[in-house]
Amino acid sequence: SMYHNILGNLSEADAKAEIEGSISLIKQKTGTDQRHYAYPEGQPHHYTEHTIKILKNNGIICCPSAFPGVNSVSDNLFHLRRIIVRMFSLPFPFTDRRLTT
């Protein structure tokens, strides 16, 4: 979203402005249409069915969440799970001193 606000916490109008503003800005800067999006923070309570409707109305076809797991071909493309990748079992941004020395 424009300011990485949690879309599920916003009014429908504010969520629409956040989503459409970010899609418009990316198109303006890259010259390409967006087809994929990611929910800020991506937990199940961070987006709503209204969020998904706004995304679909703006040409988005896929939006992964941030909850862990694997997907099957029959899964909803707006509720996709992720395999979280970590380096040396450390969360991003990998601030372990071993990596900087």
Side-chain angles (χ1 to χ4, degrees), residues 37-89:
Y37 206 85
Y39 307 110
E41 303 302 326
Q43 295 303 307
H45 59 283
H46 292 152
Y47 61 96
T48 65
E49 288 303 313
H50 186 263
T51 305
I52 294 168
K53 181 179 176 183
I54 296 167
L55 291 165
K56 287 179 177 181
N57 288 343
N58 282 276
I60 302 300
I61 62 168
C62 174
C63 196
S65 69
F67 42 99
V70 295
N71 302 291
S72 71
V73 296
S74 62
D75 286 341
N76 184 312
L77 294 177
F78 288 85
H79 297 285
L80 293 176
R81 297 178 177 276
R82 292 186 185 187
I83 296 174
I84 307 300
V85 177
R86 300 189 193 288
M87 183 178 229
F88 302 111
S89 299

Side-chain angles (χ1 to χ4, degrees), residues 7 10-22 50 54 58:
L7 300 170
L10 301 176
S11 69
E12 291 182 2
D14 288 343
K16 185 175 188 222
E18 286 275 321
I19 292 167
E20 290 181 351
S22 64
H50 186 263
I54 296 167
N58 282 276

